[in-house]
Structure formats: C-alpha cells, structure tokens
Amino acid sequence: MRKALRLRRLSRPRDDRYLFVPLDHSVSDGPVVPRDRWPDLIRSVVVGGADAIIVHKGRVRTIDPHLLAGCALVVHLSAGTAHAADANAKVLVGEVEEALRLGADAVSVHVNVGSDTEARQLADLGVVAGACDAWNVPLVAMVYPRGPRVADPHDPALLSHVVNIAVDLGADIVKTNLALPAERMAEVVASCPIPVLVAGGPADGGCVVDRARASMAAGCAGLAVGRRVFTAPSPVALVAELAAVVHVDRHPDPHPDLVHAVATAAP
C-alpha cells in the first residue's frame, strides 16, 4: 500500500501518466547549468508542470525543499562518466535508505543492455529492486540497448526485450528509447505490463514536442526529458507544453496557484 501511495505522488494529476525531468547529467557530462541558474531551473521545471525531477543524492541538498511544492523527487542511484574507458558502464553510488532520508518519493537505476558491463548492471538493478520492495519505494529503471553488441537501439523487438528485463527484475516504471518508426513503439508498450516512458532523445533529434505526441499516441505512459529541457531557451514553456501532451486535459499554461507557491519560495 505504501508503495502504491508513493507511485501516485509521481503523477501530479493522478492520471497514471508521467512527465519526469532528469537532471542527473552533471555526473556523466558536467554541469547542467551554472550554479546561479540552478534554483531558477528547478522553479521552471516545477511551474511548467513536471511530475518529478531526477537528481543524484548530493544534488538534492542544493535544492530548497519549498521549490518542490507539488513535484516529486526521484534520487538516481547509478553513475558513470563520459571520460571512462567504457562510457556505457554504470555503478551504484547510492542506496535506497539514503534516498529515503533525503525525502525521495522514488529511486532510479540505469542499465545499458549490450554493454561490456551488462552483467554487473543487471545485478545492481536486482539488488536495488529488493531494497525497494523492503522499503516500499517505487523503482524507475532506465534501460537502454546500448553498447558494442547493439546494432539498432531503436529496434522494436530489442526495446520490447529491454523493457521486460525491467519488469522481470522488479521495476515499477521503465524508461527507454523511442522505437523507429515511432508508431512501432505500440508493440513495445503492448509487451510490457508496467508503464513505459520515452527518453527525450538527442539535442539534434528533431522537435521534442512532436516526439512526445508520437510517444503518447503509441500508448506510452509518459516522458523523461532532461537535456532538451535544460538547454531550451525557455524551460518553463517547454515543460508546460510537454505536460499538456502527457496529461491531455491539462492546460499548457502553468496553474497560477503553483506559480505563486514557487515564486514565493525561500531564496
């Protein structure tokens, strides 16, 4: 029951659809935004209508809790950098208990299927899933076909395989690539008994809103868009537009009560 309550918090309108904004890129690639812009970025994401942000445990301590009014917190437990000998390798750098002490509503783990360290990453996912069950914490699995043995990371059959790995190892929500052509993402969704979220894609991957519409039309439960948001000219406008696509009855303009709550948060 407690896990079900936490899962409900991950969808602000309680419609079982999700717009997550991952901001964990500072470990893999470097700073997301300069230090003085970080509070404004969080405000923009919350006011725009994101259901949750995803950050690493240390980064949580830099966020004024008032800024997360109405927005869930997911603590990411995996890490690796672009400078490593194997940039697809991910290791655990946190525990479920730590995330709970920080006020997390859920945790997330990254697995690259097809990488040289796939076995270790699968084992880590299984360990975290066990801890999540013990503590009644939702688990978001970010599972991608990525590595030297992957010919087509957008192949629907391969994506169906990786999302079901997440199911079998205990995840509650899975994030992965969009199939190409996009309409074939429906096959991936049909294969998977847990909610499927689509990643935002590369910065040069075309219109992210069109990608969002295609994903939702294929039956996905939502989106996890990070880089496309924090590099956007207006993050708040983009998040609002994406929220309107994910939550079909939500007006793209941020709700005035939420704008006031965040605008008056402690500096």
Side-chain angles (χ1 to χ4, degrees):
M1 175 61 74
R2 291 189 184 95
K3 182 183 278 194
L5 290 172
R6 288 187 172 114
L7 278 167
R8 294 288 283 168
R9 291 180 197 148
L10 298 179
S11 175
R12 280 164 68 165
R14 306 297 189 260
D15 60 0
D16 298 323
R17 292 183 171 214
Y18 310 91
L19 173 59
F20 295 168
V21 178
L23 299 171
D24 58 295
H25 305 68
S26 47
V27 170
S28 57
D29 301 317
V32 169
V33 291
R35 179 181 62 183
D36 59 347
R37 288 181 50 203
W38 179 251
D40 286 340
L41 175 62
I42 301 298
R43 285 189 185 91
S44 296
V45 168
V46 175
V47 170
D51 296 291
I53 63 166
I54 302 175
V55 293
H56 283 284
K57 60 184 181 182
R59 191 68 57 169
V60 176
R61 301 186 182 99
T62 72
I63 300 173
D64 181 343
H66 294 90
L67 295 180
L68 294 181
C71 182
L73 172 65
V74 180
V75 173
H76 195 44
L77 302 183
S78 299
T81 80
H83 311 292
D86 179 6
N88 292 317
K90 300 292 177 181
V91 297
L92 288 183
V93 292
E95 298 179 347
V96 173
E97 295 93 330
E98 287 181 287
L100 283 173
R101 287 196 295 269
L102 291 166
D105 298 289
V107 299
S108 58
V109 172
H110 187 137
V111 175
N112 288 321
V113 173
S115 68
D116 290 337
T117 57
E118 175 191 295
R120 167 70 180 274
Q121 294 177 51
L122 291 175
D124 287 345
L125 177 60
V127 168
V128 173
C132 283
D133 280 346
W135 289 98
N136 292 304
V137 175
L139 171 58
V140 180
M142 305 179 182
V143 189
Y144 303 98
R146 186 178 293 172
R149 281 160 289 281
V150 175
D152 180 4
H154 303 283
D155 174 56
L158 182 53
L159 291 171
S160 294
H161 185 186
V162 302
V163 298
N164 278 279
I165 290 172
V167 174
D168 291 333
L169 296 188
D172 299 289
I173 297 173
V174 59
K175 169 193 173 188
T176 195
N177 293 337
L178 178 65
L180 294 177
E183 57 268 21
R184 294 198 63 189
M185 194 68 190
E187 301 169 28
V188 181
V189 173
S191 78
C192 186
I194 64 174
V196 177
L197 310 188
V198 166
D204 58 353
C207 177
V208 67
V209 177
D210 288 344
R211 181 185 178 90
R213 292 192 181 103
S215 301
M216 300 308 292
C220 293
L223 310 167
V225 183
R227 190 182 311 275
R228 306 293 290 272
V229 167
F230 63 75
T231 60
S234 174
V236 65
L238 178 56
V239 172
E241 196 167 2
L242 293 172
V245 173
V246 171
H247 304 291
V248 291
D249 57 348
R250 176 179 286 184
H251 193 277
D253 293 331
H255 192 283
D257 291 343
L258 182 59
V259 173
H260 175 74
V262 177
T264 56

